[in-house]
Amino acid sequence: MLVTTAEEIRAYVPTSVYSGEKSLLTLIEDTEENILLPILGRNLYNKVEEYYQKAMQDYGGVTSGFIEKEKLTPEIRLIRACQLPVVYLSLANSTGILTVSLNDGGGLNQVYTDGYDKADEKSVSRFERDAYFKGRRGVDRLLIFLEEDARSKKPLFADMWRESRYFYLQGDLLFTTAIELNRYLDISESREKFISLLPDIRYCQNAYIVPEIGETLTEALVKWCTRSIKSDLFTGENNETINNVWQRTVDKLRMTLALYVESRRSEKARKYSENDASYAMANARKYIATNQEYYGDYIKDSPLYVPPISDIPEGNKKSPIFDYDNPDNALFVLSPQAFNRH
């Protein structure tokens, strides 16, 4: 566990006169198991417990009363970042339990302390709400701390954190991070909200994007977003042009994906979200089809791919399909009157 003393609880709840050492441990342990462990992953959680035990031996505690700001290490900062949401969410999720007591007869009594006025229902509700939102903001601060470490030149916790589903980088999606999604869909840059939207993002990408542009091209664009794609396509003479085309392609597809995700969120969906998504998808398709020479072999199994005439076997050559979206194309139509003149 990462919270084991009354001093640690009082550090986050300044008005607390709580002095018990053990009575809240079960509630705190439950919060760590249900909220903190999924965020960190088992390996990192176990490692943070080791950091905590060592700090308790070396300093006697991890709060500012034991460790001065000048002596803060990344490990201590991580412990504190974990403690804040654990304390607040333990209290917020257990307000009802903490305000009543179980008596010998099995009945329930209101809990209050001699010398203090009993908190009314409104005060308890306000405390519960404040503790909950501080806890949720604390979760986001923890995720930002871990993300900043993972993005640094010499990350300390990224290898262990990578096993968690909360790891900041999503390697199979066009939206690889919360910051990227926030450019197209307002989530207040909340990392936790981004994680909660991943099922919707993944569904919309597979249901709407992949069938339209092809699986190979989608995977290549995702790898390009994470700079993990390896191809001579990006090292030739036209590499700058090609990268610009791929960037614009990703931008258009991300807009499309964000609108489809928005249409699935009842609290955020606008009346025309899905129509806007369809329009954005048509715009992205047209852009890809117009610039197909910049995608190399990745586009060849795409429904949008049109092979050059020279690549088509002689017996299979057909008249090109009329493109209604091309403003340079026109249809010449003779009216019936033109035939009747003779």
Side-chain angles (χ1 to χ4, degrees):
M1 290 181 60
L2 304 179
V3 179
T4 60
T5 69
E7 287 86 354
E8 290 166 332
I9 295 174
R10 289 196 294 269
Y12 297 103
V13 189
T15 58
S16 172
V17 293
Y18 173 77
S19 59
E21 293 289 340
K22 305 296 181 182
S23 57
L24 287 177
L25 291 190
T26 301
L27 298 177
I28 290 172
E29 184 178 23
D30 181 67
T31 302
E32 289 191 12
E33 287 288 330
N34 289 299
I35 295 176
L36 189 60
L37 180 58
I39 292 173
L40 300 181
R42 176 61 68 181
N43 284 343
L44 182 54
Y45 177 81
N46 290 342
K47 196 65 177 179
V48 177
E49 278 194 313
E50 291 180 20
Y51 298 149
Y52 177 76
Q53 294 300 329
K54 186 176 187 305
M56 295 297 285
Q57 293 174 5
D58 294 345
Y59 303 105
V62 296
T63 61
S64 57
F66 294 93
I67 303 176
E68 299 175 359
K69 185 177 181 180
E70 294 75 18
K71 296 182 180 179
L72 277 179
T73 63
E75 291 79 7
I76 298 298
R77 291 180 61 211
L78 176 56
I79 293 169
R80 290 183 180 180
C82 291
Q83 284 185 331
L84 187 147
V86 166
V87 170
Y88 282 120
L89 291 176
S90 294
L91 296 173
N93 294 335
S94 308
T95 305
I97 294 174
L98 295 173
T99 53
V100 297
S101 65
L102 181 66
N103 62 35
D104 289 337
L108 300 176
N109 299 104
Q110 189 77 35
V111 175
Y112 66 96
T113 306
D114 292 339
Y116 295 89
D117 292 333
K118 181 175 68 175
D120 58 26
E121 185 176 344
K122 185 176 180 180
S123 298
V124 173
S125 178
R126 176 63 183 270
F127 175 85
E128 180 180 359
R129 185 185 66 182
D130 289 352
Y132 176 80
F133 283 110
K134 285 186 74 68
R136 295 262 67 100
R137 286 193 295 270
V139 167
D140 230 48
R141 283 176 56 190
L142 171 60
L143 290 169
I144 291 172
F145 175 86
L146 290 169
E147 180 178 332
E148 289 175 347
D149 170 76
R151 288 176 178 272
S152 66
K153 293 181 179 180
K154 295 182 179 180
L156 299 175
F157 315 112
D159 287 342
M160 291 177 285
W161 186 36
R162 199 179 300 275
E163 71 172 38
S164 167
R165 69 181 182 88
Y166 281 81
F167 187 67
Y168 87 100
L169 189 65
Q170 301 298 317
D172 64 330
L173 298 174
L174 288 166
F175 289 120
T176 57
T177 68
I179 294 175
E180 288 171 355
L181 176 61
N182 198 77
R183 290 179 56 207
Y184 301 88
L185 186 64
D186 182 19
I187 58 171
S188 301
E189 293 193 3
S190 169
R191 275 63 174 176
E192 188 177 19
K193 185 65 177 177
F194 175 64
I195 297 299
S196 71
L197 286 173
L198 288 180
D200 281 335
I201 297 171
R202 191 165 282 112
Y203 170 82
C204 290
Q205 179 172 302
N206 290 329
Y208 300 113
I209 305 296
V210 172
E212 294 286 354
I213 72 171
E215 187 170 346
T216 301
L217 182 57
T218 303
E219 290 178 357
L221 289 165
V222 169
K223 288 182 179 179
W224 183 86
C225 291
T226 58
R227 302 298 183 262
S228 60
I229 191 169
K230 296 179 181 179
S231 172
D232 295 337
L233 185 66
F234 306 100
T235 58
E237 294 181 1
N238 295 327
N239 66 315
E240 184 175 351
T241 300
I242 291 172
N243 277 296
N244 287 336
V245 169
W246 281 56
Q247 182 63 65
R248 292 197 65 188
T249 304
V250 168
D251 289 342
K252 291 176 182 295
L253 291 174
R254 281 176 174 170
M255 176 60 74
T256 304
L257 185 54
L259 288 166
Y260 277 122
V261 171
E262 181 186 61
S263 71
R264 290 173 60 84
R265 298 172 64 196
S266 57
E267 76 279 10
K268 289 289 185 180
R270 294 174 295 106
K271 184 177 180 180
Y272 301 109
S273 292
E274 194 163 353
N275 289 340
D276 289 346
S278 297
Y279 175 78
M281 186 73 255
N283 188 24
R285 281 199 313 267
K286 185 175 181 180
Y287 183 80
I288 293 171
T290 304
N291 295 278
Q292 70 173 28
E293 69 269 22
Y294 296 109
Y295 303 102
D297 292 338
Y298 298 113
I299 198 174
K300 288 190 174 180
D301 67 349
S302 169
L304 302 176
Y305 179 63
V306 178
I309 297 295
S310 59
D311 291 349
I312 302 175
E314 193 65 33
N316 294 335
K317 290 183 179 180
K318 299 178 182 179
S319 299
I321 298 174
F322 182 80
D323 183 3
Y324 289 90
D325 291 329
N326 190 340
D328 296 327
N329 286 345
L331 285 173
F332 179 71
V333 180
L334 291 175
S335 67
Q337 290 78 7
F339 293 99
N340 294 331
R341 289 176 183 174
H342 302 285

